[in-house]
Amino acid sequence: LPSNPNEQQKLYTEAASNVIISDLGGYLAQRAGDLADAYIQPHGTVYFSGESLKDLLLRWLQTDRTVGGLLRLTGADWFWPKAIIYAFHYVGLVLGLVGLWLARRQWRLALPLVGFIVYTTLVHFVLDALPRYIFPTMVFWWVFAAVALSALLQVRGRRTMKVVP
């Protein structure tokens, strides 16, 4: 290896480029999988001790699938705090997607928020994708979730108003 850092960087870049180009489809699939994993795993759940909630649920689905087994699952270490974080995370993502769709007509207002989500997602498609790097987008997902919740409350209010004489 050359001792000059610039020459070392050039060799590293050439080697990495050759590996990526030799299996571009595999590389893109790996990056997409890492990004999906980063979105699926809520930030903060890995800091709890005990077994992974995903592993416990998969084992229950593969081996037990009984109500008793599911109830035993809820007794695992830190189950409820992890479950609350997962629920909050997924509600934010799902309602955020709905709110994103509902906000499409006011795209000029939504564009900066969508831009941040898209920018962060694309950057971490290329770079390392970890839940803690994706976590800042959750603020914006929850803004769009609020749009969805607001629309739901408006629809519910209209139905209530029609019932009252």
Side-chain angles (χ1 to χ4, degrees):
L1 278 177
S3 59
N4 183 346
N6 290 332
E7 292 176 21
Q8 289 176 350
Q9 186 65 33
K10 183 179 176 184
L11 286 175
Y12 172 77
T13 304
E14 288 175 8
S17 297
N18 290 337
V19 168
I20 291 170
I21 290 170
S22 70
D23 185 18
L24 187 60
Y27 173 76
L28 294 175
Q30 178 67 40
R31 298 307 310 143
D34 289 348
L35 189 62
D37 288 344
Y39 266 104
I40 290 170
Q41 175 74 43
H43 173 61
T45 56
V46 295
Y47 300 116
F48 290 101
S49 62
E51 220 172 340
S52 162
L53 205 60
K54 289 187 293 187
D55 293 343
L56 289 169
L57 188 59
L58 283 174
R59 188 176 329 117
W60 174 77
L61 285 170
Q62 292 170 350
T63 60
D64 196 353
R65 281 191 243 148
T66 65
V67 175
L70 187 60
L71 290 175
R72 280 191 299 280
L73 182 92
T74 62
D77 291 338
W78 299 101
F79 175 83
W80 290 109
K82 288 179 187 179
I84 290 168
I85 291 172
Y86 268 92
F88 191 76
H89 180 78
Y90 288 129
V91 166
L93 286 176
V94 170
L95 287 179
L97 284 171
V98 172
L100 191 62
W101 175 255
L102 293 173
R104 73 189 182 282
R105 290 193 179 108
Q106 297 180 350
W107 64 270
R108 286 187 179 102
L109 291 173
L111 190 61
L113 307 178
V114 174
F116 181 79
I117 292 171
V118 170
Y119 170 79
T120 304
T121 302
L122 290 176
V123 163
H124 291 97
F125 181 81
V126 176
L127 301 176
D128 196 19
L130 296 173
R132 70 173 178 234
Y133 300 151
I134 300 298
F135 181 68
T137 65
M138 290 308 296
V139 172
F140 300 103
W141 286 112
W142 271 102
V143 169
F144 288 113
V147 170
L149 289 172
S150 175
L152 180 66
L153 289 174
Q154 287 175 359
V155 168
R156 184 173 177 228
R158 279 189 229 129
R159 287 183 184 163
T160 306
M161 290 172 58
K162 289 179 184 176
V163 174
V164 176

